[in-house]
């Protein structure tokens, strides 16, 4: 029995069978998946800040966020933004270090109350901050002008059609767009199961004391949401080329991709583009 059998059963909507298969595997992923499928978890993720915090505090995320913040600082050095928008800022992990030496007016948009509170607390004293505890879909109904609008590992949480609408609404109000995401390959259904098994096994192995918290509160709901029919889905990732096509379709120009970090799931990249503000 392999974890692929469990993921295949999950895709077919056979939750109990998937749990049975996963329990026989005996790997970190098999153990975590069997436990999750036997629980009453509802599939939501970002409303459990402790699990998300443990996830981003380890497992390769330290190096990842250092690379992201460094790339954003270089962008600010070049653009010198007076007004900065961060969509899905989380706890400010990418934004706050990148602001060293810069004092823009900052708008942060984050649906998680706990994460937004932490982000605002971490921002340097004296900044003019507009904190919006909402989803970006509601925010973009009336945005102002932003010299830089950025999103780090957040836009993939929007379904493709919703993301199209959000990007199109932002384009007339943005000078420079900066999106940090993962270059997730476009694979056949079978190869996709193999890819998910390989990457999630690798990701879980990077955690020790916090592995169960990270698995049950974040990684397993993210994984099952992509496969189990009717489950709460929290990610709609895609290849870098698809991101380029999407922001171009939304009205942005001069789109460029810069590789950032070889993460355990997929390589991270920075996409920059020019809006029409």
């Amino acid at each position: 029995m392999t974890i692929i059998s469990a993921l295949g059963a999950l895709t077919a909507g056979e939750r109990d069978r998937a749990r049975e298969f996963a329990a026989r595997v005996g790997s970190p992923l098999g153990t975590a998946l069997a436990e999750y499928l036997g629980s009453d978890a509802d599939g939501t993720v970002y409303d459990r800040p402790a699990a998300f915090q443990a996830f981003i505090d380890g497992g390769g995320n330290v190096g990842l966020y250092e690379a992201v913040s460094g790339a954003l600082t270089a962008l600010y050095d070049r653009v010198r933004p007076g007004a900065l928008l961060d969509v899905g800022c989380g706890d400010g992990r990418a934004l706050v270090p990148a602001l060293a030496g810069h004092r823009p007016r900052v708008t942060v948009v984050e649906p998680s109350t706990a994460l937004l509170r932490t982000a605002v607390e971490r921002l340097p004293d004296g900044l003019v901050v507009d904190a919006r505890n909402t989803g970006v879909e509601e925010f973009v109904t009336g945005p102002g002008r932003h010299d830089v609008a950025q999103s780090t590992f957040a836009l993939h949480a929007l379904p493709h059609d919703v993301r199209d609408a959000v990007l199109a609404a932002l384009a007339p109000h943005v000078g420079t767009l900066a999106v940090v995401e993962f270059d997730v390959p476009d694979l056949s259904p079978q190869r996709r199961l193999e890819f998910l098994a390989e990457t999630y096994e690798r990701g879980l192995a990077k955690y020790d004391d916090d592995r169960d918290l990270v698995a049950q509160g974040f990684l397993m709901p993210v994984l099952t949401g992509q496969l189990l029919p009717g489950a709460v889905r929290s990610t709609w990732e895609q290849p870098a080329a698809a991101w380029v096509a999407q922001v171009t379709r939304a009205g942005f120009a001069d789109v460029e991709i810069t590789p950032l970090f070889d993460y355990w799931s997929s390589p991270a990249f920075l996409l920059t583009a020019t809006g029409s503000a």
Side-chain angles (χ1 to χ4, degrees):
M1 185 61 60
T2 69
I3 194 65
I4 303 298
S5 301
L7 298 185
L10 204 59
T11 304
E14 300 172 346
R15 184 185 181 114
D16 291 341
R17 191 159 173 253
R19 179 191 177 195
E20 177 187 346
F21 288 167
R24 297 181 192 174
V25 175
S27 69
L29 178 54
T31 301
L33 183 59
E35 179 180 346
Y36 181 76
L37 293 176
S39 73
D40 58 358
D42 63 4
T44 55
V45 287
Y46 297 107
D47 59 345
R48 295 186 60 183
F52 181 66
Q53 199 74 44
F55 169 69
I56 61 176
D57 280 344
N61 287 294
V62 174
L64 173 66
Y65 277 91
E66 286 177 351
V68 171
S69 295
L72 292 176
T73 296
L75 175 65
Y76 303 164
D77 289 344
R78 185 173 77 252
V79 177
R80 312 301 296 185
L84 171 65
L85 167 67
D86 192 331
V87 172
C89 66
D91 66 356
R93 180 158 310 226
L95 170 64
V96 174
L99 285 171
H102 295 276
R103 309 288 292 181
R105 298 185 305 279
V106 175
T107 301
V108 284
V109 179
E110 171 57 50
S112 167
T113 302
L115 292 175
L116 180 64
R117 183 185 304 115
T118 301
V120 172
E121 290 172 350
R122 287 178 169 176
L123 287 167
D125 292 337
L127 283 184
V128 177
V129 179
D130 181 7
R132 305 290 188 95
N133 187 196
T134 184
V136 67
E137 304 96 310
E138 292 77 21
F139 172 78
V140 294
T141 56
R145 185 191 186 284
H146 310 285
D147 299 308
V148 171
Q150 67 185 44
S151 180
T152 56
F153 310 119
L155 288 181
H156 68 235
L158 299 177
H160 297 292
D161 58 337
V162 176
R163 194 189 304 150
D164 276 336
V166 165
L167 288 168
L170 281 174
H173 304 275
V174 171
T176 298
L177 176 71
V179 174
V180 180
E181 285 291 351
F182 296 113
D183 186 8
V184 177
D186 185 13
L187 302 169
S188 67
Q190 178 61 27
R191 182 65 189 100
R192 181 166 178 261
L193 295 184
E194 295 169 357
F195 170 79
L196 290 172
E198 293 165 3
T199 54
Y200 277 76
E201 202 76 78
R202 187 160 62 240
L204 282 169
K206 291 184 176 293
Y207 293 87
D208 295 315
D209 295 342
D210 289 333
R211 181 180 296 170
D212 188 61
L213 175 62
V214 169
Q216 301 308 310
F218 188 74
L219 288 179
M220 291 306 98
V222 171
L223 174 62
T224 57
Q226 298 177 69
L227 301 176
L228 181 64
V232 175
R233 185 165 180 174
S234 57
T235 181
W236 286 263
E237 295 177 311
Q238 60 186 4
W243 283 100
V244 172
Q246 190 165 39
V247 300
T248 301
R249 186 168 64 244
F252 290 92
D254 308 318
V255 185
E256 295 184 4
I257 293 288
T258 303
L260 286 184
F261 192 82
D262 190 14
Y263 192 60
W264 59 260
S265 61
S266 293
F269 65 87
L270 168 67
L271 177 152
T272 56
T274 303
S276 55

